[in-house]
Protein backbone atom coordinates (compact mmCIF):
# COMPACT_ATOMS: atom_id res chain seq x y z
CA UNK A 1 0.00 0.00 0.00
CA UNK A 2 3.03 2.31 -0.12
CA UNK A 3 3.76 2.06 -3.82
CA UNK A 4 1.92 5.30 -4.73
CA UNK A 5 4.36 7.28 -2.57
CA UNK A 6 7.31 5.82 -4.47
CA UNK A 7 5.65 6.55 -7.82
CA UNK A 8 4.84 10.10 -6.73
CA UNK A 9 8.54 10.78 -6.06
CA UNK A 10 9.98 8.81 -8.97
CA UNK A 11 9.76 11.55 -11.67
CA UNK A 12 11.69 14.08 -9.58
CA UNK A 13 14.27 11.46 -8.64
CA UNK A 14 14.74 10.33 -12.26
CA UNK A 15 15.20 13.94 -13.42
CA UNK A 16 18.01 14.47 -10.90
CA UNK A 17 20.02 11.40 -11.94
CA UNK A 18 22.20 10.90 -15.05
CA UNK A 19 20.34 9.88 -18.20
CA UNK A 20 19.89 6.13 -18.45
CA UNK A 21 20.52 5.53 -14.75
CA UNK A 22 19.12 2.20 -13.52
CA UNK A 23 16.29 3.28 -11.18
CA UNK A 24 13.91 0.99 -9.28
CA UNK A 25 11.14 1.55 -6.76
CA UNK A 26 10.21 -0.83 -4.00
CA UNK A 27 12.42 -3.57 -2.50
CA UNK A 28 15.60 -3.99 -4.58
CA UNK A 29 18.94 -5.79 -4.48
CA UNK A 30 22.34 -5.03 -5.97
CA UNK A 31 22.47 -5.34 -9.76
CA UNK A 32 24.06 -8.41 -11.31
CA UNK A 33 25.82 -6.30 -13.93
CA UNK A 34 26.17 -2.74 -15.15
CA UNK A 35 27.63 0.33 -13.49
CA UNK A 36 25.18 0.72 -10.63
CA UNK A 37 21.62 1.08 -9.41
CA UNK A 38 19.45 3.55 -7.48
CA UNK A 39 16.37 2.37 -5.59
CA UNK A 40 13.65 4.20 -3.66
CA UNK A 41 11.78 2.09 -1.12
CA UNK A 42 8.97 3.03 1.28
CA UNK A 43 9.56 0.37 3.94
CA UNK A 44 6.77 0.71 6.45
CA UNK A 45 3.92 2.80 7.78
CA UNK A 46 3.46 3.07 11.54
CA UNK A 47 0.93 4.79 13.77
CA UNK A 48 1.96 6.70 16.87
CA UNK A 49 0.92 4.68 19.94
CA UNK A 50 -1.58 6.58 22.13
CA UNK A 51 -0.06 7.97 25.30
CA UNK A 52 -3.25 9.39 26.78
CA UNK A 53 -6.91 9.95 26.01
CA UNK A 54 -6.08 12.92 23.79
CA UNK A 55 -3.91 10.71 21.57
CA UNK A 56 -6.63 8.21 20.68
CA UNK A 57 -7.68 8.02 17.01
CA UNK A 58 -10.33 10.56 15.98
CA UNK A 59 -13.31 9.11 14.13
CA UNK A 60 -15.50 11.24 11.88
CA UNK A 61 -18.52 10.29 9.76
CA UNK A 62 -18.00 8.89 6.27
CA UNK A 63 -19.45 10.51 3.16
CA UNK A 64 -20.07 9.31 -0.35
CA UNK A 65 -18.10 11.16 -2.97
CA UNK A 66 -16.18 11.16 -6.22
CA UNK A 67 -12.52 11.51 -7.11
CA UNK A 68 -11.00 11.84 -10.56
CA UNK A 69 -9.00 13.88 -13.05
CA UNK A 70 -10.71 16.85 -14.66
CA UNK A 71 -10.38 17.84 -18.32
CA UNK A 72 -10.52 21.47 -19.51
CA UNK A 73 -13.54 22.69 -21.43
CA UNK A 74 -12.85 22.67 -25.19
CA UNK A 75 -11.64 26.11 -26.23
CA UNK A 76 -11.31 27.25 -22.60
CA UNK A 77 -8.03 25.85 -21.21
CA UNK A 78 -8.49 27.47 -17.78
CA UNK A 79 -12.01 26.14 -17.17
CA UNK A 80 -12.38 22.64 -15.67
CA UNK A 81 -16.02 21.53 -15.21
CA UNK A 82 -16.95 18.85 -12.72
CA UNK A 83 -18.56 15.84 -14.42
CA UNK A 84 -22.22 15.00 -13.86
CA UNK A 85 -21.06 11.78 -12.17
CA UNK A 86 -19.43 13.77 -9.33
CA UNK A 87 -22.04 14.00 -6.53
CA UNK A 88 -22.04 16.54 -3.75
CA UNK A 89 -19.87 19.59 -3.21
CA UNK A 90 -16.26 20.23 -4.16
CA UNK A 91 -14.04 19.19 -1.25
CA UNK A 92 -10.46 19.33 -2.55
CA UNK A 93 -8.43 20.18 -5.67
CA UNK A 94 -4.90 18.95 -6.44
CA UNK A 95 -2.58 20.14 -9.20
CA UNK A 96 -0.30 18.36 -9.66
CA UNK A 97 -1.52 15.34 -7.61
CA UNK A 98 -0.24 15.69 -4.04
CA UNK A 99 -0.39 19.49 -3.96
CA UNK A 100 -3.69 20.81 -2.57
CA UNK A 101 -4.71 24.16 -4.04
CA UNK A 102 -6.52 26.88 -2.10
CA UNK A 103 -9.75 28.20 -3.56
CA UNK A 104 -9.40 31.89 -4.29
CA UNK A 105 -5.64 31.69 -4.73
CA UNK A 106 -5.39 29.29 -7.68
CA UNK A 107 -8.99 29.05 -8.90
CA UNK A 108 -12.59 30.13 -8.35
CA UNK A 109 -15.57 27.80 -8.29
CA UNK A 110 -18.25 29.13 -10.65
CA UNK A 111 -21.24 26.84 -10.27
CA UNK A 112 -19.82 23.45 -11.23
CA UNK A 113 -16.76 24.81 -13.04
CA UNK A 114 -13.28 25.46 -11.67
CA UNK A 115 -11.88 28.61 -13.28
CA UNK A 116 -8.09 28.82 -12.90
CA UNK A 117 -6.22 32.13 -12.95
CA UNK A 118 -3.31 30.57 -14.86
CA UNK A 119 -2.55 27.18 -16.45
CA UNK A 120 -2.35 24.47 -13.75
CA UNK A 121 1.08 23.07 -12.92
CA UNK A 122 -0.04 19.55 -13.79
CA UNK A 123 -3.10 17.28 -14.01
CA UNK A 124 -6.10 18.60 -12.06
CA UNK A 125 -7.46 16.09 -9.56
CA UNK A 126 -10.73 16.89 -7.77
CA UNK A 127 -12.58 15.28 -4.87
CA UNK A 128 -16.21 15.87 -3.95
CA UNK A 129 -18.22 15.09 -0.83
CA UNK A 130 -21.80 13.93 -1.04
CA UNK A 131 -24.29 12.41 1.36
CA UNK A 132 -23.32 10.79 4.63
CA UNK A 133 -22.97 7.02 4.46
CA UNK A 134 -22.16 4.02 6.60
CA UNK A 135 -18.52 3.75 7.61
CA UNK A 136 -16.05 6.18 9.17
CA UNK A 137 -12.95 8.30 8.65
CA UNK A 138 -10.25 7.76 11.26
CA UNK A 139 -7.42 10.24 11.82
CA UNK A 140 -4.25 9.72 13.84
CA UNK A 141 -0.60 10.71 13.67
CA UNK A 142 2.03 8.40 12.23
CA UNK A 143 5.02 8.08 9.95
CA UNK A 144 6.47 6.33 6.91
CA UNK A 145 10.08 5.11 6.70
CA UNK A 146 11.66 5.85 3.33
CA UNK A 147 15.04 4.64 2.05
CA UNK A 148 17.14 5.75 -0.90
CA UNK A 149 19.81 3.18 -1.85
CA UNK A 150 22.68 3.51 -4.31
CA UNK A 151 24.94 0.69 -5.55
CA UNK A 152 28.12 1.52 -7.50
CA UNK A 153 31.69 0.22 -7.91
CA UNK A 154 33.12 3.59 -6.83
CA UNK A 155 32.22 5.03 -3.42
CA UNK A 156 32.70 8.60 -4.69
CA UNK A 157 30.12 7.97 -7.40
CA UNK A 158 27.78 6.48 -4.79
CA UNK A 159 28.13 9.61 -2.66
CA UNK A 160 27.35 11.85 -5.64
CA UNK A 161 24.28 9.88 -6.72
CA UNK A 162 23.01 9.66 -3.15
CA UNK A 163 23.35 13.42 -2.69
CA UNK A 164 21.55 14.14 -5.96
CA UNK A 165 18.76 11.71 -5.20
CA UNK A 166 18.29 12.88 -1.62
CA UNK A 167 18.08 16.53 -2.71
CA UNK A 168 15.44 15.64 -5.30
CA UNK A 169 13.32 13.63 -2.84
CA UNK A 170 13.43 16.33 -0.15
CA UNK A 171 12.59 19.07 -2.66
CA UNK A 172 9.68 17.08 -4.10
CA UNK A 173 8.19 16.44 -0.65
CA UNK A 174 8.45 20.14 0.21
CA UNK A 175 5.72 20.85 -2.39
CA UNK A 176 3.44 17.98 -1.37
CA UNK A 177 0.79 18.35 1.31
CA UNK A 178 -1.39 15.27 0.74
CA UNK A 179 -0.32 11.79 -0.37
CA UNK A 180 -2.97 9.32 -1.49
CA UNK A 181 -1.70 5.88 -0.53
CA UNK A 182 -3.12 2.62 -1.79
CA UNK A 183 -6.46 1.21 -0.81
CA UNK A 184 -9.38 -0.65 -2.28
CA UNK A 185 -11.53 2.17 -3.67
CA UNK A 186 -14.23 3.06 -3.18
CA UNK A 187 -14.47 1.14 0.12
CA UNK A 188 -11.01 1.72 1.63
CA UNK A 189 -8.78 4.78 1.32
CA UNK A 190 -5.58 5.69 3.11
CA UNK A 191 -3.64 8.93 2.82
CA UNK A 192 -1.05 11.03 4.60
CA UNK A 193 -1.76 14.73 5.03
CA UNK A 194 0.49 17.58 6.19
CA UNK A 195 3.65 15.49 5.60
CA UNK A 196 6.96 16.68 7.04
CA UNK A 197 10.12 14.89 6.00
CA UNK A 198 13.35 14.69 7.99
CA UNK A 199 16.65 12.98 7.30
CA UNK A 200 17.04 10.07 9.74
CA UNK A 201 20.54 8.90 8.79
CA UNK A 202 23.13 8.10 6.13
CA UNK A 203 25.25 4.94 5.86
CA UNK A 204 27.89 3.76 3.39
CA UNK A 205 30.05 0.67 2.91
CA UNK A 206 30.16 -2.65 1.10
CA UNK A 207 26.83 -4.40 0.62
CA UNK A 208 26.92 -7.47 2.93
CA UNK A 209 24.74 -9.37 0.45
CA UNK A 210 26.88 -8.35 -2.55
CA UNK A 211 30.40 -7.40 -1.37
CA UNK A 212 31.51 -6.41 -4.88
CA UNK A 213 29.26 -3.34 -4.67
CA UNK A 214 29.61 -0.13 -2.68
CA UNK A 215 26.31 0.75 -1.03
CA UNK A 216 25.12 4.17 0.09
CA UNK A 217 21.87 4.53 2.03
CA UNK A 218 19.89 7.62 3.06
CA UNK A 219 17.01 7.04 5.46
CA UNK A 220 14.16 9.54 5.79
CA UNK A 221 11.11 9.73 8.04
CA UNK A 222 7.91 11.20 6.67
CA UNK A 223 5.56 12.23 9.48
CA UNK A 224 2.01 13.51 9.23
CA UNK A 225 -1.64 12.77 9.88
CA UNK A 226 -2.81 9.43 8.54
CA UNK A 227 -6.42 9.27 7.37
CA UNK A 228 -8.11 5.90 7.03
CA UNK A 229 -11.48 6.04 5.31
CA UNK A 230 -13.93 3.14 5.25
CA UNK A 231 -17.00 3.62 3.06
CA UNK A 232 -19.70 0.98 3.38
CA UNK A 233 -22.42 2.47 1.19
CA UNK A 234 -25.84 3.83 2.01
CA UNK A 235 -26.67 3.58 5.73
CA UNK A 236 -29.56 1.47 6.95
CA UNK A 237 -32.87 3.38 6.89
CA UNK A 238 -33.89 4.92 10.18
CA UNK A 239 -37.37 5.38 11.48
CA UNK A 240 -38.18 9.05 11.93
CA UNK A 241 -41.21 10.81 13.36
CA UNK A 242 -42.83 12.62 10.45
CA UNK A 243 -45.74 14.33 12.19
CA UNK A 244 -47.21 14.67 15.68
CA UNK A 245 -50.92 15.36 16.22
CA UNK A 246 -51.98 16.71 19.59
CA UNK A 247 -55.64 16.42 20.66
CA UNK A 248 -56.91 18.34 23.67
CA UNK A 249 -59.82 16.86 25.65
CA UNK A 250 -61.54 19.45 27.77
CA UNK A 251 -63.39 18.27 30.93
CA UNK A 252 -67.18 18.17 30.65
CA UNK A 253 -69.33 20.70 32.59
CA UNK A 254 -70.71 18.00 34.88
CA UNK A 255 -67.27 16.91 36.07
Amino acid sequence: MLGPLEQLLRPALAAALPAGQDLLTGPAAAPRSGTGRVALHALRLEFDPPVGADDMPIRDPAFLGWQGTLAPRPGHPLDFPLPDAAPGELAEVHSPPGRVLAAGDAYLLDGRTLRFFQPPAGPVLARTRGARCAGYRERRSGWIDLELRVWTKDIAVADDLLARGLAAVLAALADINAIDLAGAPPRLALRLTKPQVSLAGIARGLDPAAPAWQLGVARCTLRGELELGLTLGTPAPEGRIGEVDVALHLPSKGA
Side-chain angles (χ1 to χ4, degrees):
M1 296 179 68
L2 298 175
L5 171 58
E6 298 165 346
Q7 296 306 315
L8 187 64
L9 298 174
R10 183 187 174 101
L13 180 57
L17 299 174
Q21 173 65 55
D22 181 3
L23 174 60
L24 298 179
T25 55
R32 294 184 178 181
S33 60
T35 59
R37 170 172 291 168
V38 177
L40 181 67
H41 182 199
L43 284 79
R44 64 182 63 85
L45 179 153
E46 298 281 352
F47 293 99
D48 286 332
V51 177
D54 294 338
D55 299 321
M56 297 299 292
I58 299 173
R59 283 202 173 184
D60 298 320
F63 294 87
L64 296 174
W66 175 90
Q67 177 176 318
T69 301
L70 302 183
R73 191 190 306 276
H76 299 270
L78 299 183
D79 293 350
F80 289 76
L82 289 168
D84 294 337
E89 300 179 350
L90 183 66
E92 201 170 74
V93 177
H94 295 219
S95 183
R99 183 180 180 187
V100 180
L101 302 180
D105 292 339
Y107 67 92
L108 290 176
L109 182 61
D110 183 2
R112 297 277 293 174
T113 299
L114 281 69
R115 301 190 185 278
F116 282 80
F117 301 127
Q118 58 186 5
V124 177
L125 178 71
R127 179 181 286 115
T128 66
R129 191 177 86 162
R132 182 171 175 174
C133 67
Y136 60 84
R137 185 172 70 98
E138 184 177 277
R139 295 178 290 123
R140 59 193 301 187
S141 59
W143 75 92
I144 296 173
D145 286 335
L146 191 65
E147 276 193 358
L148 182 64
R149 290 177 169 253
V150 175
W151 289 269
T152 66
K153 297 292 186 178
D154 188 327
I155 191 62
V157 175
D159 286 344
D160 177 64
L161 292 177
L162 194 65
R164 291 193 197 189
L166 179 61
V169 168
L170 295 178
L173 287 169
D175 289 332
I176 293 174
N177 45 27
I179 302 169
D180 287 312
L181 302 170
R187 285 181 173 268
L188 179 68
L190 179 65
R191 72 175 190 159
L192 180 72
T193 63
K194 304 175 184 177
Q196 292 187 341
V197 63
S198 59
L199 179 63
I202 295 176
R204 63 204 292 259
L206 295 176
D207 185 348
W213 291 95
Q214 300 283 348
L215 174 62
V217 182
R219 294 181 292 107
C220 296
T221 301
L222 188 59
R223 300 194 64 89
E225 185 174 71
L226 290 160
E227 295 182 358
L228 174 65
L230 182 64
T231 303
L232 299 177
T234 305
E238 297 179 357
R240 295 179 180 271
I241 299 175
E243 185 176 340
V244 176
D245 292 326
V246 178
L248 297 179
H249 297 278
L250 299 177
S252 62
K253 292 182 180 181

